[in-house]
Amino acid sequence: MALGELRVLGACPLDCPDTCSWVVTVRDGEAVGMRGNPDHPYTRGALCVKVNRYLEHAGAADRVLHPMRRVGPKGSGRFERISWDEALEEISVRLRAIVEEHGGEAIWPYLGTGTLGYLQGCEGVAGRRFWNVLGASRHFLNICSTAGNTGLQRTNGTPGGMDPETFALSRLILLWGTNTLTSGHHLWKFVQEARAAGAHVVAIDPIRTRTAEQADEHLQIRPGTDAALALGLLNVVLSEGAEDRDHLAERTNGWEDFRAEILKYPPERVAEITGLPASDVRALGVRLAHTRPTGIRATMGIQRHAGGGAAMRAIAAIPGVTGDWRHPGGGVAYSTSGHFHLNIDTRDDLLAAPVRQLTMTRLAEGLDESVKCLWVYAANPMGSTPDQNRVRERLLREDLFTVVMEQFPTDTVDYADIVLPATMQVEHTDLHAGYGHMYLVWNEPAVEPPGECLSTTETFRRLARHMGLTEPSLYDSDLELAEQLLASGHPSLDGITVDRLRKEGWVRLNVARPFAPFADGFPTPSGRLEFGSGPAYVPPHTALAGEGPYPLALLTPASHTFLNTVFGNNPELLRRSKGPRVVVNPEDAARRGLSDGDRARVFNANGGFEAVVEVSDRVRPGVVASTKGHWRKLSAGGSTVNAVVDERDADMGRGAVYHDNLVEVAPCAPCDGREPATMSEST
Ligand SMILES: Nc1nc2c(c(=O)[nH]1)N[C@H]1C(S)=C(S)[C@@H](COP(=O)(O)OP(=O)(O)OC[C@H]3O[C@@H](n4cnc5c(=O)[nH]c(N)nc54)[C@H](O)[C@@H]3O)O[C@H]1N2
Ligand SMILES: Nc1nc2c(c(=O)[nH]1)N[C@H]1C(S)=C(S)[C@@H](COP(=O)(O)OP(=O)(O)OC[C@H]3O[C@@H](n4cnc5c(=O)[nH]c(N)nc54)[C@H](O)[C@@H]3O)O[C@H]1N2
Ligand code: SF4
Ligand SMILES: [Mo]
């Protein structure tokens, strides 16, 4: 090793199940290399096509490096550089006036998923102590996974399920509403291990994704109808007499009612609902009936529908009936977050009185006159939130004081009054947990922040000091916060300390290996899996397709080259994304006079966006798809996919409905044809 060269262990902060452990090479204070940590048992040395460019991104010319104040009209993205002192002073004066005149609830602390860090991001609800002292409104982060979480919580008592490493032991694997090779590719090694031992792999997805292409079988299901398929598969399991009667009797509640529900879904009826051949439903049902262990990987894609919660419940019921939870490699893996019992001390005792809750996916609705300050951090609502045009209208409100803490001049930054420069992961300390594995991962800062960037924790400490707040816990250091998080007393964290994490980089939770989470019962109040009552299949909004002016069901899944809107401004990843595209089935394309490579407008009553048409049977007739993550100001026509997404809730957990919207696609004559604007310049 050359003199002055260091290896610093860190963690990928992005909203991805894999939470990679990485190694940064630092030479003379500069990060000169980053690679996946080969010692990490789950991620084993690989990053991904996006994060391989993390250092390039951190050094990009468009990084926000200084505090800025708006000089042009709202939305113009025109700013002047100011000092941190000026920024803190202006913010303090405005916040104090707002609290005095309208009460703390007039502040909306809008925290997104830009980093999942327990210190700097959403897992530990960064900033919440500060907001509690001011009495700000509560922010409900429902943008990603809440419908599925709620469905699983009701069924199993926790959203946590299988340890994804145990897929290596599965003999039938259902990749159900999940695009493994794009949105968390490290699972694939375990899938391949199982395959080498004879496992059969089935992808269930309305799109023939790169994952579906690699599976042994692909069921191209109609969107939002998965609960019906789950019930149909169980119907076949019952006809085969393959239900695990001991498991049902000893470990579950509500079987008799649920059994009656299952009997209403024979394969022929399921075929009508799902659009799958009845023979495929029957064949997979027979396979499921006779293959132990069956491991089901379902992630967030499946629950972004009107019936998303019910879909996760129906899927979670499968191992209750087959008894798969008895075996490592059996069960359902949605997210492992529920297995990490950290002590998230948001100090809600600091609130003087109870406060209202505002909902992340209802930003347009929520941003009424009662909100006087919107504080956006680790989020990009102009790109990621439903009903983009209405969100934009609200952000233009002259009486709204908007502060955005950011690394890049995003579409949301353009609407800020004050912009605060934020550190990136190689420049701050954080503690992470994978939501697709069982490890805590530590992130040690590798380099000094560029310009005047500050971490989230440090920004709130400085603001508290500037405002003269006296609550001592607002000044806890990053290492003190990390120690508090690990001090929950839960046995899975025994012996896991900050010192150990800093030395080793990552530590597995203290749980058995292989891990079968419910082999000894379920963490529900009854200790049993709850099949539940009420309709087991809730139809999607798009079941109305064909009846109105917007007959096509639009899916808007993850892009291979971006992580939500992060990297949307990286020139190479943007080039590889090939720009906003819409995949249209040949039948639907022909009917509309659309050819491959044409420009088209995708629209409904909410608005529309422009995309290049890809004519392909990767989607079934009646379904179109376009990925999330593009930036408005870098897209022709100046709007993106969320311009057509409704502000509407799923059946459980107020979940978002990103994959359950109706649109029409038309050739581009009515498009405005405007070329993408260049990135706004800051002074
Ligand atoms: N490269 C990349 N990776 C990412 C992300 C990214 O933006 N880019 N995003 C990250 C985030 S925030 C999250 S939450 C996770 C999400 O990861 P995923 O759960 O994989 O989320 P999606 O891509 O939305 O959806 C996954 C698949 O579900 C399918 N799907 C949609 N509706 C249905 C349905 O009704 N039934 C079935 N069976 N399938 C359906 C979609 O076609 C898609 O192929 O990934 C993370 N990883
Ligand atoms: N159409 C459609 N839209 C979707 C989805 C979909 O499937 N379809 N998926 C939804 C999902 S699953 C999610 S999770 C949401 C995500 O929505 P958001 O939570 O709004 O996340 P991003 O759009 O990725 O924006 C995160 C921003 O945080 C910034 N950032 C990153 N790290 C830090 C940091 O340490 N400090 C600060 N201050 N900023 C930081 C990044 O630069 C980025 O601009 O998008 C949702 N939007
Ligand atoms: S985005 Fe996911 S796969 Fe890529 S480096 Fe981060 S955690 Fe790993
Ligand atoms: Mo997400």
Side-chain angles (χ1 to χ4, degrees):
M1 199 187 269
L3 202 68
E5 188 166 290
L6 283 171
R7 286 170 77 250
V8 183
L9 295 179
C12 175
L14 299 175
D15 185 353
C16 166
D18 293 2
T19 310
C20 284
S21 166
W22 70 35
V23 189
V24 184
T25 306
V26 181
R27 198 178 296 145
D28 301 330
E30 205 191 321
V32 294
M34 173 188 281
R35 63 192 175 97
N37 182 352
D39 301 332
H40 192 276
Y42 190 77
T43 59
R44 296 190 198 164
L47 297 172
C48 63
V49 68
K50 315 170 289 293
V51 175
N52 283 335
R53 293 184 177 273
Y54 197 83
L55 290 184
E56 169 190 312
H57 204 45
D62 58 340
R63 266 299 286 274
V64 173
L65 297 174
H66 306 282
M68 301 190 293
R69 177 197 288 128
R70 174 166 70 90
V71 288
K74 286 237 180 193
S76 66
R78 294 207 337 256
F79 297 99
E80 62 179 355
R81 180 174 163 181
I82 55 174
S83 69
W84 264 104
D85 259 351
E86 285 171 283
L88 293 175
E89 179 57 18
E90 182 159 343
I91 289 168
S92 302
V93 168
R94 293 293 296 262
L95 287 184
R96 258 197 224 102
I98 287 169
V99 172
E100 233 157 73
E101 243 178 85
H102 308 279
E105 283 181 312
I107 303 169
W108 186 342
Y110 189 99
L111 170 60
T113 62
T115 161
L116 299 188
Y118 276 87
L119 303 180
Q120 311 299 344
C122 58
E123 290 289 11
V125 206
R128 174 101 151 236
R129 292 175 179 186
F130 176 84
W131 298 122
N132 282 342
V133 169
L134 296 194
S137 288
R138 187 77 78 234
H139 172 70
F140 180 37
L141 201 158
N142 65 325
I143 203 161
C144 180
S145 58
T146 49
N149 284 341
T150 307
L152 287 167
Q153 181 77 37
R154 289 187 193 165
T155 306
N156 294 334
T158 170
M162 287 170 70
D163 174 353
E165 286 177 50
T166 61
F167 276 95
L169 305 170
S170 309
R171 288 303 166 259
L172 171 61
I173 296 178
L174 308 185
L175 299 173
W176 200 332
T178 189
N179 187 0
T180 304
L181 288 173
T182 284
S183 47
H185 70 91
H186 293 87
L187 180 71
W188 197 251
K189 291 185 299 290
F190 301 92
V191 172
Q192 290 296 68
E193 253 179 82
R195 251 177 164 174
H200 183 79
V201 178
V202 184
I204 305 169
D205 198 307
I207 305 178
R208 194 168 72 242
T209 60
R210 62 178 72 215
T211 306
E213 268 167 7
Q214 298 293 318
D216 298 310
E217 196 181 334
H218 174 211
L219 300 188
Q220 198 170 34
I221 191 171
R222 204 173 269 149
T225 62
D226 303 272
L229 176 60
L231 293 161
L233 296 176
L234 287 175
N235 187 289
V236 180
V237 168
L238 292 187
S239 337
E240 293 285 302
E243 70 272 27
D244 183 331
R245 298 206 177 121
D246 292 341
H247 193 262
L248 286 166
E250 290 158 19
R251 299 279 197 211
T252 72
N253 264 343
W255 171 235
E256 276 316 311
D257 288 346
F258 188 55
R259 186 170 171 277
E261 193 70 15
I262 292 171
L263 293 176
K264 295 182 201 154
Y265 289 85
E268 291 67 28
R269 179 172 178 215
V270 171
E272 258 167 51
I273 298 171
T274 60
L276 298 170
S279 55
D280 284 4
V281 177
R282 195 169 295 110
L284 185 57
V286 170
R287 215 184 253 285
L288 170 66
H290 303 294
T291 316
R292 305 277 73 73
T294 290
I296 303 176
R297 174 62 164 172
T299 50
M300 290 77 211
I302 203 159
Q303 45 96 63
R304 297 192 172 128
H305 290 273
M312 270 321 293
R313 279 212 87 163
I315 289 171
I318 292 175
V321 178
T322 58
D324 268 307
W325 285 121
R326 294 175 187 281
H327 321 283
V332 178
Y334 177 68
S335 159
T336 54
S337 316
H339 296 310
F340 292 86
H341 298 276
L342 274 73
N343 174 37
I344 299 168
D345 187 359
T346 51
R347 296 298 309 273
D348 292 349
D349 60 302
L350 297 174
L351 277 173
V355 290
R356 66 173 174 176
Q357 175 174 278
L358 296 166
T359 304
M360 188 168 188
T361 56
R362 294 283 186 139
L363 181 58
E365 178 192 84
L367 263 189
D368 62 16
E369 299 295 307
S370 73
V371 179
K372 301 295 180 197
C373 170
L374 179 71
W375 189 288
V376 179
Y377 53 133
N380 185 11
M382 270 312 300
S384 289
T385 307
D387 210 345
Q388 194 166 87
N389 295 327
R390 268 176 71 224
V391 168
R392 178 170 176 277
E393 267 168 39
R394 293 300 174 104
L395 289 176
L396 285 170
R397 262 178 53 200
E398 278 303 330
D399 64 327
L400 182 70
F401 178 55
T402 301
V403 178
V404 181
M405 296 162 75
E406 251 302 348
Q407 303 161 337
F408 290 97
T410 62
D411 289 320
T412 305
V413 161
D414 286 350
Y415 294 82
D417 294 289
I418 298 279
V419 183
L420 299 176
T423 44
M424 288 179 70
Q425 188 79 344
V426 287
E427 303 146 13
H428 59 223
T429 304
D430 217 334
L431 170 64
H432 289 261
Y435 68 89
H437 60 61
M438 303 291 286
Y439 302 83
L440 286 164
V441 191
W442 182 259
N443 183 73
E444 188 73 16
V447 296
E448 289 298 318
E452 296 178 278
C453 294
L454 292 182
S455 67
T456 307
T457 47
E458 183 58 19
T459 302
F460 282 111
R461 283 188 289 258
R462 292 206 189 175
L463 184 54
R465 193 166 299 125
H466 199 96
M467 292 181 77
L469 303 180
T470 54
E471 165 53 37
S473 68
L474 298 181
Y475 300 97
D476 289 350
S477 70
D478 289 354
L479 292 183
E480 283 166 344
L481 290 168
E483 271 156 16
Q484 292 162 20
L485 281 157
L486 293 172
S488 69
H490 195 275
S492 64
L493 296 173
D494 274 355
I496 303 181
T497 60
V498 170
D499 282 349
R500 190 171 157 206
L501 279 163
R502 290 182 82 181
K503 204 173 303 151
E504 298 172 24
W506 49 269
V507 179
R508 183 176 164 91
L509 291 176
N510 297 310
V511 294
R513 195 180 205 158
F515 181 53
F518 310 130
D520 301 320
F522 294 85
T524 51
S526 64
R528 290 161 171 254
L529 181 151
E530 299 285 349
F531 286 119
S533 52
Y537 164 58
V538 176
H541 177 73
T542 54
L544 308 171
E547 287 169 16
Y550 311 112
L552 300 168
L554 171 70
L555 300 169
T556 63
S559 148
H560 197 68
T561 58
F562 311 139
L563 195 301
N564 292 322
T565 63
V566 177
F567 300 114
N569 57 328
N570 177 280
E572 177 55 20
L573 292 171
L574 180 55
R575 190 186 66 77
R576 288 199 206 172
S577 77
K578 300 187 190 157
R581 298 172 81 73
V582 60
V583 191
V584 184
N585 182 274
E587 242 174 64
D588 292 319
R591 202 168 299 147
R592 289 164 178 79
L594 293 166
S595 308
D596 202 63
D598 281 357
R599 257 194 185 193
R601 187 167 168 81
V602 182
F603 62 99
N604 61 20
N606 298 327
F609 65 98
E610 284 183 34
V612 172
V613 174
E614 180 184 327
V615 177
S616 166
D617 65 358
R618 293 205 297 120
V619 293
R620 46 182 305 139
V623 176
V624 293
S626 185
T627 53
K628 63 176 170 177
H630 284 282
W631 287 28
R632 294 176 81 238
K633 59 185 160 193
L634 302 179
S635 301
S639 59
T640 62
V641 65
N642 281 321
V644 299
V645 170
D646 291 342
E647 235 189 16
R648 185 166 30 86
D649 296 346
D651 55 339
M652 291 182 201
R654 305 207 66 185
V657 292
Y658 289 113
H659 301 333
D660 194 11
N661 292 277
L662 290 168
V663 296
E664 181 51 283
V665 182
C668 220
C671 301
D672 84 358
R674 192 156 60 82
E675 286 308 315
T678 47
M679 304 271 290
S680 56
E681 280 175 37
S682 45
T683 47

